[in-house]
Amino acid sequence: QVQLVESGGGSAQAGGSLRLSCAASGDTSDVLCMAWFRQAPGEEREGVALIYRRSGGTYVPDSVNGRFAISQDNRKNTVYLQMNRLKPEDTAMYYCAASRARTCYLHSHTGYDYWGQGTPVTVSS
């Protein structure tokens, strides 16, 4: 089993920055990619970034490209989401997810094996 714990959420002004962290523990040896999703009230869960643990390859969708970046520290088993130039529409609960699949996608949250409890982000204008 893998446990994921997010932290770093909170409130920010529009144009500001936040950095989220996701600490993984347990047997992470077969986790091949990790991702960040977000879900606003009444909305579908949306993928905003993913990273492959072994290669370090990343993907960020156009919707947040240029503002969000994902990175990892494998020594700490931690993944980060750096969010810059925040907008009110970035307000959501942010979740960390981990997958044992060789190929991961952001268009669907169903391919992930483990999820954190989420950390809230509120951006005010």
Side-chain angles (χ1 to χ4, degrees):
Q1 280 292 326
V2 173
Q3 295 78 43
L4 304 174
V5 178
E6 302 97 333
S7 61
S11 299
Q13 294 283 330
S17 298
L18 285 172
R19 188 176 82 154
L20 307 183
S21 299
C22 172
S25 61
D27 185 4
T28 62
S29 59
D30 59 352
V31 172
L32 299 183
C33 73
M34 295 184 70
W36 287 96
F37 285 77
R38 67 184 181 185
Q39 189 167 21
E43 301 288 333
E44 296 282 328
R45 193 166 292 194
E46 173 193 14
V48 295
L50 69 81
I51 187 165
Y52 287 95
R53 296 189 72 221
R54 293 176 183 174
S55 69
T58 64
Y59 174 74
V60 177
D62 289 343
S63 58
V64 297
N65 194 21
R67 298 191 302 119
F68 289 13
I70 187 170
S71 61
Q72 64 185 356
D73 184 338
N74 284 339
R75 294 171 303 171
K76 296 181 179 179
N77 252 351
T78 299
V79 171
Y80 305 97
L81 182 67
Q82 179 68 43
M83 305 185 295
N84 299 324
R85 301 200 305 277
L86 284 163
K87 302 177 181 180
E89 50 263 45
D90 294 321
T91 295
M93 186 70 81
Y94 283 71
Y95 297 92
C96 177
S99 174
R100 297 172 292 180
R102 289 181 178 271
T103 303
C104 295
Y105 302 95
L106 291 177
H107 66 265
S108 172
H109 64 275
T110 59
Y112 292 82
D113 303 291
Y114 309 103
W115 289 86
Q117 81 289 351
T119 186
V121 170
T122 303
V123 183
S124 56
S125 57

